Amino acid sequence: MNRGLRARALSVLAANDRVTYTVPSGLLYPFQWNWDSCFVALALQTVGSPSEGEDRAWRELETLTRHQWTDGMIPHIVFHTDHDGYFPGPSFWGTECSSPAGTPTSGITQPPVLGLVLEQLWSRSSQDDSARLRCRALVEAVNRWHRWFGLARDPQATGLVSILHPWEAGRDNSVDFDRALASVPITDLPAYERRDTTVVAEAERPTDDDYDRYIALVVLFRGLGWDAAALHDASPFRVVDPGFNAILLASDRALARLGPAVGHPEIGDEAARRAAIGLDALSELWSPDRGQFVCRDRRSNLLVDNASIGGLLPVLVLDRDDVRLHHLCTQIEEWLQLAPFGVASQHPADAGFDPQRYWRGPTWLITNHLLAMGLRRTGRDDLADRIAGSSRSLLERSGFAEYYDPLTGAGLGGSTFSWTAAMAIELSMPHPSPLGEVDRLGDREPPRL
Ligand code: DGY
Protein backbone atom coordinates (compact mmCIF):
# COMPACT_ATOMS: atom_id res chain seq x y z
CA MET A 1 0.00 0.00 0.00
CA ASN A 2 1.32 3.42 -0.76
CA ARG A 3 2.42 5.63 2.14
CA GLY A 4 -0.19 8.26 1.34
CA LEU A 5 -2.98 5.77 1.86
CA ARG A 6 -1.61 4.66 5.23
CA ALA A 7 -1.30 8.31 6.32
CA ARG A 8 -4.91 8.96 5.28
CA ALA A 9 -6.06 5.83 7.10
CA LEU A 10 -4.29 7.04 10.23
CA SER A 11 -5.99 10.40 10.03
CA VAL A 12 -9.41 8.73 9.73
CA LEU A 13 -8.65 6.74 12.87
CA ALA A 14 -7.35 9.83 14.67
CA ALA A 15 -10.55 11.73 13.88
CA ASN A 16 -12.67 8.90 15.26
CA ASP A 17 -10.45 8.28 18.32
CA ARG A 18 -12.12 9.07 21.66
CA VAL A 19 -8.98 8.20 23.71
CA THR A 20 -10.28 5.03 25.35
CA TYR A 21 -12.36 3.82 22.42
CA THR A 22 -12.99 4.58 18.76
CA VAL A 23 -16.30 5.43 17.10
CA PRO A 24 -17.00 3.75 13.76
CA SER A 25 -17.95 7.07 12.18
CA GLY A 26 -18.51 10.40 13.93
CA LEU A 27 -21.80 11.19 12.21
CA LEU A 28 -23.48 7.86 11.59
CA TYR A 29 -22.30 5.81 14.59
CA PRO A 30 -21.13 8.13 17.39
CA PHE A 31 -20.64 5.47 20.13
CA GLN A 32 -18.49 2.36 20.59
CA TRP A 33 -19.52 -0.67 18.55
CA ASN A 34 -18.32 -4.12 19.56
CA TRP A 35 -16.87 -5.70 16.42
CA ASP A 36 -15.83 -2.35 14.96
CA SER A 37 -13.63 -1.77 18.00
CA CYS A 38 -12.08 -5.21 17.67
CA PHE A 39 -11.02 -4.65 14.05
CA VAL A 40 -9.84 -1.15 14.89
CA ALA A 41 -7.63 -2.48 17.71
CA LEU A 42 -5.57 -4.35 15.11
CA ALA A 43 -4.65 -1.07 13.47
CA LEU A 44 -4.21 0.88 16.71
CA GLN A 45 -1.47 -1.55 17.70
CA THR A 46 0.64 -0.20 14.84
CA VAL A 47 0.24 3.50 15.66
CA GLY A 48 3.06 5.42 17.39
CA SER A 49 5.90 3.64 19.19
CA PRO A 50 5.48 -0.13 19.75
CA SER A 51 4.61 0.40 23.44
CA GLU A 52 2.15 3.22 22.70
CA GLY A 53 0.45 1.21 19.97
CA GLU A 54 0.19 -1.87 22.11
CA ASP A 55 -1.20 0.07 25.04
CA ARG A 56 -3.84 1.77 22.91
CA ALA A 57 -4.94 -1.51 21.33
CA TRP A 58 -5.39 -3.26 24.68
CA ARG A 59 -7.21 -0.19 25.98
CA GLU A 60 -9.71 -0.25 23.13
CA LEU A 61 -10.67 -3.80 24.06
CA GLU A 62 -10.54 -3.21 27.81
CA THR A 63 -13.03 -0.37 27.39
CA LEU A 64 -15.34 -2.73 25.55
CA THR A 65 -15.05 -5.60 28.03
CA ARG A 66 -15.49 -3.25 31.00
CA HIS A 67 -19.10 -3.05 29.83
CA GLN A 68 -19.59 -6.79 29.75
CA TRP A 69 -22.88 -7.65 31.40
CA THR A 70 -22.95 -9.60 34.65
CA ASP A 71 -24.38 -12.57 32.75
CA GLY A 72 -21.36 -12.56 30.37
CA MET A 73 -22.79 -10.87 27.28
CA ILE A 74 -20.62 -8.23 25.64
CA PRO A 75 -23.09 -5.74 24.15
CA HIS A 76 -23.03 -4.48 20.61
CA ILE A 77 -23.04 -0.76 21.48
CA VAL A 78 -21.63 1.08 24.49
CA PHE A 79 -23.19 4.53 24.83
CA HIS A 80 -20.30 6.38 26.45
CA THR A 81 -21.75 9.83 25.85
CA ASP A 82 -25.00 11.54 25.02
CA HIS A 83 -25.50 12.05 21.31
CA ASP A 84 -28.74 12.35 19.43
CA GLY A 85 -27.19 11.44 16.09
CA TYR A 86 -28.11 7.76 16.34
CA PHE A 87 -31.38 5.94 16.80
CA PRO A 88 -32.07 3.85 18.87
CA GLY A 89 -30.03 5.64 21.52
CA PRO A 90 -29.47 4.72 25.19
CA SER A 91 -32.85 5.73 26.59
CA PHE A 92 -34.68 3.63 24.01
CA TRP A 93 -32.82 0.45 24.95
CA GLY A 94 -33.45 0.90 28.69
CA THR A 95 -30.68 -1.44 29.85
CA GLU A 96 -28.89 0.83 32.34
CA CYS A 97 -28.49 -1.70 35.15
CA SER A 98 -27.04 -4.62 33.26
CA SER A 99 -23.34 -3.73 33.19
CA PRO A 100 -21.43 -3.15 36.46
CA ALA A 101 -19.75 -0.14 34.84
CA GLY A 102 -23.17 1.55 34.83
CA THR A 103 -22.75 3.01 31.34
CA PRO A 104 -25.82 2.38 29.20
CA THR A 105 -25.40 -0.20 26.47
CA SER A 106 -27.57 -1.88 23.89
CA GLY A 107 -29.13 -5.17 24.97
CA ILE A 108 -27.96 -7.45 22.16
CA THR A 109 -24.56 -8.65 21.04
CA GLN A 110 -22.49 -8.77 17.83
CA PRO A 111 -20.22 -11.21 15.93
CA PRO A 112 -17.63 -12.46 18.44
CA VAL A 113 -14.44 -11.55 16.60
CA LEU A 114 -12.77 -10.53 19.87
CA GLY A 115 -11.05 -13.89 20.46
CA LEU A 116 -9.64 -13.92 16.94
CA VAL A 117 -8.39 -10.37 17.27
CA LEU A 118 -6.85 -11.01 20.68
CA GLU A 119 -4.73 -13.79 19.27
CA GLN A 120 -3.48 -11.54 16.51
CA LEU A 121 -2.70 -8.74 18.94
CA TRP A 122 -0.91 -11.11 21.28
CA SER A 123 1.17 -12.64 18.50
CA ARG A 124 2.41 -9.18 17.50
CA SER A 125 2.76 -7.79 21.05
CA SER A 126 5.84 -7.54 23.28
CA GLN A 127 4.54 -10.55 25.23
CA ASP A 128 6.10 -9.03 28.36
CA ASP A 129 4.52 -9.36 31.82
CA SER A 130 2.24 -6.39 31.36
CA ALA A 131 1.01 -7.63 27.97
CA ARG A 132 0.44 -11.08 29.44
CA LEU A 133 -1.64 -9.69 32.31
CA ARG A 134 -3.75 -7.52 30.06
CA CYS A 135 -4.28 -10.26 27.51
CA ARG A 136 -5.07 -12.74 30.28
CA ALA A 137 -7.88 -10.54 31.64
CA LEU A 138 -9.29 -10.16 28.13
CA VAL A 139 -9.12 -13.93 27.57
CA GLU A 140 -11.16 -14.39 30.76
CA ALA A 141 -13.76 -11.91 29.50
CA VAL A 142 -13.98 -13.63 26.12
CA ASN A 143 -14.38 -17.01 27.74
CA ARG A 144 -17.26 -15.72 29.89
CA TRP A 145 -18.87 -14.30 26.77
CA HIS A 146 -18.54 -17.58 24.91
CA ARG A 147 -20.05 -19.46 27.87
CA TRP A 148 -22.94 -17.00 27.76
CA PHE A 149 -23.51 -17.87 24.09
CA GLY A 150 -23.91 -21.52 25.03
CA LEU A 151 -26.35 -20.82 27.87
CA ALA A 152 -28.35 -17.97 26.38
CA ARG A 153 -28.34 -18.79 22.69
CA ASP A 154 -28.10 -22.56 22.59
CA PRO A 155 -30.20 -23.74 25.52
CA GLN A 156 -30.82 -27.11 23.82
CA ALA A 157 -27.04 -27.66 23.55
CA THR A 158 -27.06 -28.24 19.78
CA GLY A 159 -23.53 -26.84 19.39
CA LEU A 160 -24.77 -23.85 17.34
CA VAL A 161 -25.98 -20.51 18.68
CA SER A 162 -28.89 -18.38 17.50
CA ILE A 163 -29.05 -14.68 16.89
CA LEU A 164 -32.22 -12.97 18.08
CA HIS A 165 -31.90 -9.75 16.11
CA PRO A 166 -30.48 -9.13 12.61
CA TRP A 167 -28.20 -6.48 14.13
CA GLU A 168 -26.48 -9.26 16.06
CA ALA A 169 -25.29 -10.84 12.79
CA GLY A 170 -23.78 -7.50 11.81
CA ARG A 171 -25.38 -8.21 8.39
CA ASP A 172 -28.59 -6.43 9.28
CA ASN A 173 -30.67 -6.57 6.10
CA SER A 174 -29.19 -9.69 4.51
CA VAL A 175 -31.60 -11.61 2.29
CA ASP A 176 -30.93 -14.47 4.75
CA PHE A 177 -33.16 -12.81 7.30
CA ASP A 178 -36.07 -11.65 5.12
CA ARG A 179 -38.46 -14.42 5.97
CA ALA A 180 -37.70 -14.59 9.69
CA LEU A 181 -37.89 -10.82 9.97
CA ALA A 182 -41.24 -10.73 8.17
CA SER A 183 -42.70 -12.75 11.04
CA VAL A 184 -41.90 -10.00 13.57
CA PRO A 185 -45.17 -8.18 14.37
CA ILE A 186 -45.08 -4.41 14.01
CA THR A 187 -48.39 -3.45 15.57
CA ASP A 188 -48.23 -0.97 18.47
CA LEU A 189 -44.84 0.42 17.50
CA PRO A 190 -43.97 3.69 19.25
CA ALA A 191 -43.33 6.63 16.95
CA TYR A 192 -39.65 6.97 16.14
CA GLU A 193 -37.40 8.82 13.76
CA ARG A 194 -34.59 7.22 11.82
CA ARG A 195 -31.30 9.12 11.92
CA ASP A 196 -29.26 6.95 9.55
CA THR A 197 -31.06 8.18 6.43
CA THR A 198 -30.23 11.79 7.27
CA VAL A 199 -26.57 10.86 6.67
CA VAL A 200 -26.71 8.09 4.05
CA ALA A 201 -28.90 7.75 0.94
CA GLU A 202 -32.00 5.66 1.60
CA ALA A 203 -31.15 3.34 -1.30
CA GLU A 204 -27.99 2.27 0.55
CA ARG A 205 -29.67 1.48 3.87
CA PRO A 206 -32.28 -1.02 5.15
CA THR A 207 -35.87 -0.14 4.28
CA ASP A 208 -38.39 1.48 6.64
CA ASP A 209 -40.17 -1.84 6.92
CA ASP A 210 -36.89 -3.48 8.04
CA TYR A 211 -36.46 -0.73 10.59
CA ASP A 212 -39.96 -1.15 11.99
CA ARG A 213 -39.17 -4.78 12.66
CA TYR A 214 -35.72 -4.05 14.13
CA ILE A 215 -37.33 -1.59 16.51
CA ALA A 216 -40.22 -3.94 17.31
CA LEU A 217 -37.70 -6.54 18.48
CA VAL A 218 -35.98 -4.01 20.75
CA VAL A 219 -39.37 -3.00 22.21
CA LEU A 220 -40.27 -6.65 22.82
CA PHE A 221 -36.93 -7.45 24.49
CA ARG A 222 -37.07 -4.30 26.59
CA GLY A 223 -40.49 -5.39 27.83
CA LEU A 224 -38.92 -8.68 28.95
CA GLY A 225 -36.38 -6.81 31.07
CA TRP A 226 -33.48 -8.03 28.93
CA ASP A 227 -33.60 -11.40 30.62
CA ALA A 228 -31.56 -13.61 28.29
CA ALA A 229 -33.58 -16.81 28.79
CA ALA A 230 -36.88 -15.02 28.31
CA LEU A 231 -35.60 -13.31 25.17
CA HIS A 232 -34.52 -16.56 23.58
CA ASP A 233 -37.86 -18.26 24.06
CA ALA A 234 -40.01 -15.25 23.17
CA SER A 235 -38.18 -13.91 20.15
CA PRO A 236 -40.05 -14.25 16.85
CA PHE A 237 -36.66 -13.92 15.19
CA ARG A 238 -34.29 -16.80 15.99
CA VAL A 239 -31.77 -17.64 13.29
CA VAL A 240 -28.67 -19.82 13.22
CA ASP A 241 -26.20 -17.97 11.01
CA PRO A 242 -23.22 -19.96 9.68
CA GLY A 243 -21.05 -16.85 9.49
CA PHE A 244 -21.72 -15.88 13.08
CA ASN A 245 -21.14 -19.44 14.28
CA ALA A 246 -17.94 -19.78 12.23
CA ILE A 247 -16.60 -16.60 13.83
CA LEU A 248 -17.46 -17.95 17.28
CA LEU A 249 -15.73 -21.26 16.51
CA ALA A 250 -12.66 -19.53 15.10
CA SER A 251 -12.51 -17.36 18.22
CA ASP A 252 -12.81 -20.44 20.42
CA ARG A 253 -9.93 -22.01 18.54
CA ALA A 254 -7.94 -18.84 19.07
CA LEU A 255 -8.72 -19.05 22.82
CA ALA A 256 -7.63 -22.69 22.80
CA ARG A 257 -4.18 -21.56 21.65
CA LEU A 258 -4.07 -18.35 23.62
CA GLY A 259 -5.27 -19.72 26.99
CA PRO A 260 -2.09 -21.70 27.75
CA ALA A 261 0.12 -18.82 26.51
CA VAL A 262 -1.33 -16.44 29.10
CA GLY A 263 -1.51 -18.86 32.02
CA HIS A 264 -5.03 -20.21 31.48
CA PRO A 265 -4.61 -23.74 30.11
CA GLU A 266 -8.04 -24.68 31.50
CA ILE A 267 -9.67 -21.95 29.38
CA GLY A 268 -7.77 -23.32 26.42
CA ASP A 269 -9.18 -26.82 27.04
CA GLU A 270 -12.70 -25.53 27.55
CA ALA A 271 -12.58 -23.48 24.34
CA ALA A 272 -11.13 -26.40 22.36
CA ARG A 273 -14.01 -28.61 23.52
CA ARG A 274 -16.61 -26.03 22.51
CA ALA A 275 -14.95 -25.57 19.11
CA ALA A 276 -14.90 -29.32 18.40
CA ILE A 277 -18.61 -29.65 19.20
CA GLY A 278 -19.51 -26.57 17.19
CA LEU A 279 -17.54 -27.63 14.15
CA ASP A 280 -19.34 -30.93 14.08
CA ALA A 281 -22.71 -29.21 14.40
CA LEU A 282 -21.93 -26.73 11.62
CA SER A 283 -22.44 -29.57 9.12
CA GLU A 284 -26.18 -29.30 9.56
CA LEU A 285 -26.03 -25.91 7.80
CA TRP A 286 -24.35 -27.27 4.68
CA SER A 287 -26.36 -26.96 1.46
CA PRO A 288 -25.11 -29.36 -1.23
CA ASP A 289 -27.27 -27.55 -3.81
CA ARG A 290 -25.73 -24.18 -3.05
CA GLY A 291 -22.23 -25.53 -2.46
CA GLN A 292 -22.01 -23.41 0.68
CA PHE A 293 -23.46 -23.06 4.16
CA VAL A 294 -26.86 -21.46 4.74
CA CYS A 295 -28.83 -20.15 7.71
CA ARG A 296 -31.39 -22.16 9.63
CA ASP A 297 -34.54 -20.61 11.00
CA ARG A 298 -34.58 -22.06 14.48
CA ARG A 299 -38.30 -21.51 14.96
CA SER A 300 -39.42 -23.44 11.89
CA ASN A 301 -36.25 -25.54 11.87
CA LEU A 302 -36.04 -25.00 8.09
CA LEU A 303 -32.85 -24.16 6.20
CA VAL A 304 -32.93 -20.77 4.47
CA ASP A 305 -32.24 -21.36 0.79
CA ASN A 306 -30.07 -18.32 0.16
CA ALA A 307 -26.42 -17.77 -0.75
CA SER A 308 -24.94 -14.91 1.28
CA ILE A 309 -21.45 -14.19 2.47
CA GLY A 310 -22.41 -15.61 5.88
CA GLY A 311 -22.31 -19.04 4.28
CA LEU A 312 -18.77 -18.52 2.99
CA LEU A 313 -17.26 -17.46 6.31
CA PRO A 314 -16.77 -21.06 7.50
CA VAL A 315 -13.49 -20.91 5.52
CA LEU A 316 -12.34 -19.67 8.93
CA VAL A 317 -12.73 -23.11 10.46
CA LEU A 318 -12.87 -25.89 7.87
CA ASP A 319 -9.91 -28.24 7.60
CA ARG A 320 -7.76 -28.10 4.55
CA ASP A 321 -8.77 -31.56 3.40
CA ASP A 322 -12.50 -30.92 3.90
CA VAL A 323 -14.14 -31.13 0.49
CA ARG A 324 -16.59 -28.36 1.51
CA LEU A 325 -13.66 -25.96 1.67
CA HIS A 326 -13.00 -26.64 -1.98
CA HIS A 327 -16.65 -25.83 -2.78
CA LEU A 328 -16.49 -22.58 -0.82
CA CYS A 329 -13.38 -21.55 -2.75
CA THR A 330 -15.17 -22.29 -6.01
CA GLN A 331 -18.06 -20.09 -4.86
CA ILE A 332 -15.73 -17.24 -3.96
CA GLU A 333 -14.04 -17.46 -7.36
CA GLU A 334 -17.40 -17.45 -9.11
CA TRP A 335 -18.65 -14.44 -7.12
CA LEU A 336 -15.45 -12.54 -7.92
CA GLN A 337 -15.94 -13.24 -11.62
CA LEU A 338 -19.42 -11.76 -11.47
CA ALA A 339 -18.58 -8.81 -9.22
CA PRO A 340 -14.84 -8.12 -9.18
CA PHE A 341 -14.53 -5.48 -6.46
CA GLY A 342 -14.21 -7.64 -3.39
CA VAL A 343 -16.46 -10.50 -2.33
CA ALA A 344 -20.09 -9.36 -2.49
CA SER A 345 -22.34 -9.87 0.54
CA GLN A 346 -24.97 -11.69 -1.53
CA HIS A 347 -24.51 -14.00 -4.52
CA PRO A 348 -24.18 -11.52 -7.42
CA ALA A 349 -26.36 -13.60 -9.75
CA ASP A 350 -29.17 -13.92 -7.23
CA ALA A 351 -32.51 -12.11 -7.72
CA GLY A 352 -32.13 -10.55 -4.26
CA PHE A 353 -28.72 -9.06 -5.08
CA ASP A 354 -28.67 -5.27 -4.76
CA PRO A 355 -25.16 -3.86 -5.21
CA GLN A 356 -25.88 -0.72 -3.20
CA ARG A 357 -28.12 -1.71 -0.32
CA TYR A 358 -26.01 -2.41 2.76
CA TRP A 359 -25.74 -6.21 3.26
CA ARG A 360 -27.77 -7.23 0.19
CA GLY A 361 -24.83 -7.04 -2.19
CA PRO A 362 -22.14 -4.49 -1.29
CA THR A 363 -18.66 -5.64 -0.38
CA TRP A 364 -17.13 -4.85 3.01
CA LEU A 365 -13.43 -4.83 3.79
CA ILE A 366 -13.92 -6.62 7.10
CA THR A 367 -15.58 -9.63 5.50
CA ASN A 368 -12.91 -9.61 2.80
CA HIS A 369 -10.39 -9.65 5.64
CA LEU A 370 -12.05 -12.57 7.43
CA LEU A 371 -12.27 -14.59 4.23
CA ALA A 372 -8.62 -13.91 3.44
CA MET A 373 -7.61 -14.94 6.99
CA GLY A 374 -9.46 -18.21 6.64
CA LEU A 375 -8.05 -18.92 3.19
CA ARG A 376 -4.47 -18.31 4.30
CA ARG A 377 -4.72 -20.83 7.10
CA THR A 378 -5.72 -23.48 4.59
CA GLY A 379 -2.96 -22.64 2.15
CA ARG A 380 -5.16 -20.80 -0.37
CA ASP A 381 -2.90 -17.73 -0.34
CA ASP A 382 -3.58 -17.28 -4.05
CA LEU A 383 -7.27 -16.61 -3.46
CA ALA A 384 -6.57 -14.61 -0.27
CA ASP A 385 -4.18 -12.42 -2.28
CA ARG A 386 -6.83 -11.85 -4.92
CA ILE A 387 -9.33 -10.72 -2.28
CA ALA A 388 -6.71 -8.52 -0.59
CA GLY A 389 -5.83 -7.02 -3.99
CA SER A 390 -9.45 -6.12 -4.63
CA SER A 391 -9.69 -4.52 -1.18
CA ARG A 392 -6.64 -2.41 -1.97
CA SER A 393 -8.08 -1.26 -5.26
CA LEU A 394 -11.32 -0.22 -3.52
CA LEU A 395 -9.35 1.90 -1.07
CA GLU A 396 -7.35 3.52 -3.82
CA ARG A 397 -10.38 4.15 -5.98
CA SER A 398 -13.00 5.16 -3.40
CA GLY A 399 -11.32 5.92 -0.05
CA PHE A 400 -12.48 4.77 3.37
CA ALA A 401 -16.15 4.12 2.70
CA GLU A 402 -18.29 1.98 4.99
CA TYR A 403 -18.88 -0.47 2.10
CA TYR A 404 -18.59 -0.52 -1.68
CA ASP A 405 -20.50 -1.43 -4.81
CA PRO A 406 -18.92 -4.74 -5.88
CA LEU A 407 -19.73 -4.09 -9.55
CA THR A 408 -18.29 -0.59 -9.88
CA GLY A 409 -16.09 -0.14 -6.82
CA ALA A 410 -17.98 3.04 -5.82
CA GLY A 411 -17.95 3.93 -2.11
CA LEU A 412 -21.27 3.61 -0.22
CA GLY A 413 -22.73 4.28 3.23
CA GLY A 414 -20.77 6.32 5.72
CA SER A 415 -17.48 7.89 4.73
CA THR A 416 -14.21 8.06 6.72
CA PHE A 417 -15.08 4.79 8.37
CA SER A 418 -12.85 3.44 11.14
CA TRP A 419 -12.90 -0.25 10.35
CA THR A 420 -12.20 0.41 6.68
CA ALA A 421 -9.20 2.55 7.67
CA ALA A 422 -8.13 -0.23 10.04
CA MET A 423 -8.31 -2.78 7.25
CA ALA A 424 -6.22 -0.47 5.04
CA ILE A 425 -3.54 -0.53 7.71
CA GLU A 426 -3.88 -4.28 8.13
CA LEU A 427 -3.39 -4.68 4.38
CA SER A 428 -0.13 -2.76 4.65
CA MET A 429 1.33 -5.22 7.18
CA PRO A 430 4.25 -7.25 5.84
CA HIS A 431 2.79 -10.59 6.99
CA PRO A 432 -0.91 -10.66 6.29
CA SER A 433 -3.27 -11.96 8.95
CA PRO A 434 -1.77 -15.19 10.24
CA LEU A 435 -4.89 -16.41 12.15
CA GLY A 436 -2.79 -18.34 14.63
CA GLU A 437 0.33 -19.52 12.88
CA VAL A 438 0.00 -22.74 14.85
CA ASP A 439 -3.35 -23.30 13.20
CA ARG A 440 -1.85 -23.36 9.75
CA LEU A 441 -2.19 -26.85 8.53
CA GLY A 442 1.30 -27.58 7.32
CA ASP A 443 2.33 -28.19 3.79
CA ARG A 444 -0.12 -30.85 2.86
CA GLU A 445 -1.51 -30.60 -0.64
CA PRO A 446 -5.10 -29.37 -0.99
CA PRO A 447 -7.54 -32.14 -1.92
CA ARG A 448 -7.88 -33.06 -5.57
CA LEU A 449 -11.44 -33.54 -6.72
C1 DGY B 1 -27.16 0.15 12.59
O1 DGY B 1 -27.69 0.89 13.40
O2 DGY B 1 -27.20 0.31 11.37
C2 DGY B 1 -26.35 -0.95 13.06
O3 DGY B 1 -26.02 -1.87 12.09
C3 DGY B 1 -26.88 -1.59 14.28
O4 DGY B 1 -25.78 -1.85 15.03
Side-chain angles (χ1 to χ4, degrees):
M1 183 172 65
N2 67 49
R3 293 170 79 94
L5 201 56
R6 182 179 157 92
R8 280 165 51 215
L10 288 175
S11 69
V12 169
L13 287 178
N16 292 336
D17 190 345
R18 302 293 182 267
V19 186
T20 54
Y21 67 97
T22 309
V23 299
S25 141
L27 277 181
L28 191 55
Y29 299 117
F31 308 106
Q32 182 178 26
W33 258 258
N34 183 328
W35 70 329
D36 293 72
S37 259
C38 293
F39 287 114
V40 163
L42 291 173
L44 293 176
Q45 196 186 29
T46 74
V47 181
S49 70
S51 64
E52 283 165 352
E54 195 176 317
D55 174 61
R56 182 64 186 84
W58 296 129
R59 199 166 352 126
E60 182 81 18
L61 302 181
E62 288 162 353
T63 306
L64 178 66
T65 55
R66 192 166 312 125
H67 299 88
Q68 181 164 31
W69 283 21
T70 45
D71 66 1
M73 183 184 78
I74 304 185
H76 102 293
I77 309 175
V78 183
F79 299 107
H80 292 283
T81 54
D82 277 339
H83 199 298
D84 64 2
Y86 178 80
F87 179 83
S91 58
F92 196 86
W93 289 88
T95 60
E96 282 83 351
C97 307
S98 300
S99 127
T103 310
T105 71
S106 72
I108 56 173
T109 195
Q110 243 183 349
V113 292
L114 180 53
L116 267 178
V117 163
L118 264 190
E119 187 184 28
Q120 280 188 272
L121 290 180
W122 170 254
S123 70
R124 302 172 188 170
S125 76
S126 61
Q127 302 191 0
D128 62 11
D129 286 350
S130 153
R132 184 167 279 98
L133 272 180
R134 295 177 86 170
C135 188
R136 186 182 154 97
L138 290 164
V139 162
E140 289 164 4
V142 177
N143 194 46
R144 279 194 284 128
W145 189 21
H146 289 195
R147 278 185 190 160
W148 172 86
F149 273 117
L151 292 170
R153 298 310 179 76
D154 184 21
Q156 309 292 328
T158 65
L160 297 175
V161 303
S162 304
I163 51 161
L164 303 186
H165 195 297
W167 287 342
E168 294 199 310
R171 302 187 295 113
D172 308 8
N173 66 338
S174 168
V175 176
D176 284 342
F177 308 139
D178 284 357
R179 185 175 282 228
L181 195 61
S183 71
V184 176
I186 47 173
T187 41
D188 302 329
L189 261 192
Y192 70 93
E193 203 184 314
R194 285 180 70 169
R195 302 284 200 284
D196 56 318
T197 42
T198 62
V199 182
V200 173
E202 275 180 35
E204 298 170 20
R205 293 288 300 175
T207 63
D208 284 347
D209 184 66
D210 291 334
Y211 252 79
D212 279 354
R213 292 171 206 276
Y214 300 155
I215 299 307
L217 284 170
V218 174
V219 171
L220 171 71
F221 297 160
R222 190 180 65 191
L224 295 168
W226 298 106
D227 174 278
L231 259 56
H232 181 274
D233 294 345
S235 180
F237 182 94
R238 212 180 304 153
V239 172
V240 182
D241 171 7
F244 192 96
N245 277 276
I247 288 170
L248 181 58
L249 292 177
S251 278
D252 257 334
R253 283 184 164 182
L255 277 198
R257 296 182 288 266
L258 203 46
V262 297
H264 270 317
E266 75 295 352
I267 289 186
D269 291 345
E270 185 182 334
R273 273 196 302 276
R274 278 193 301 258
I277 294 169
L279 188 59
D280 225 31
L282 197 62
S283 300
E284 69 157 68
L285 303 181
W286 177 252
S287 162
D289 295 341
R290 294 278 183 185
Q292 68 164 89
F293 293 85
V294 295
C295 288
R296 184 182 288 282
D297 185 324
R298 202 163 243 175
R299 292 187 74 220
S300 65
N301 207 27
L302 295 174
L303 289 176
V304 179
D305 183 24
N306 182 56
S308 79
I309 197 163
L312 303 178
L313 286 173
V315 296
L316 284 164
V317 290
L318 292 186
D319 284 345
R320 185 177 181 156
D321 52 8
D322 188 324
V323 78
R324 294 170 302 179
L325 178 69
H326 176 86
H327 287 296
L328 293 184
C329 292
T330 306
Q331 285 299 317
I332 293 171
E333 280 161 347
E334 184 183 310
W335 292 28
L336 283 170
Q337 292 252 314
L338 295 165
F341 290 99
V343 182
S345 45
Q346 170 73 11
H347 194 307
D350 189 85
F353 173 73
D354 177 340
Q356 303 210 325
R357 201 181 278 282
Y358 213 38
W359 285 96
R360 298 178 85 84
T363 184
W364 298 67
L365 293 205
I366 46 124
T367 40
N368 285 350
H369 172 72
L370 290 172
L371 289 176
M373 279 173 96
L375 291 167
R376 285 191 203 290
R377 62 175 274 284
T378 64
R380 285 301 308 265
D381 296 76
D382 59 323
L383 194 47
D385 286 344
R386 200 166 146 200
I387 294 172
S390 68
S391 292
R392 277 192 199 92
S393 73
L394 285 168
L395 288 162
E396 274 149 18
R397 183 182 282 255
S398 303
F400 304 95
E402 185 180 3
Y403 43 96
Y404 304 85
D405 185 321
L407 299 176
T408 65
L412 301 167
S415 55
T416 58
F417 222 77
S418 294
W419 72 10
T420 307
M423 293 301 97
I425 290 170
E426 191 64 14
L427 284 163
S428 72
M429 301 289 281
H431 302 295
S433 314
L435 182 58
E437 280 301 330
V438 292
D439 195 35
R440 288 185 72 100
L441 297 165
D443 296 315
R444 279 180 284 146
E445 285 293 307
R448 305 219 180 285
L449 294 180

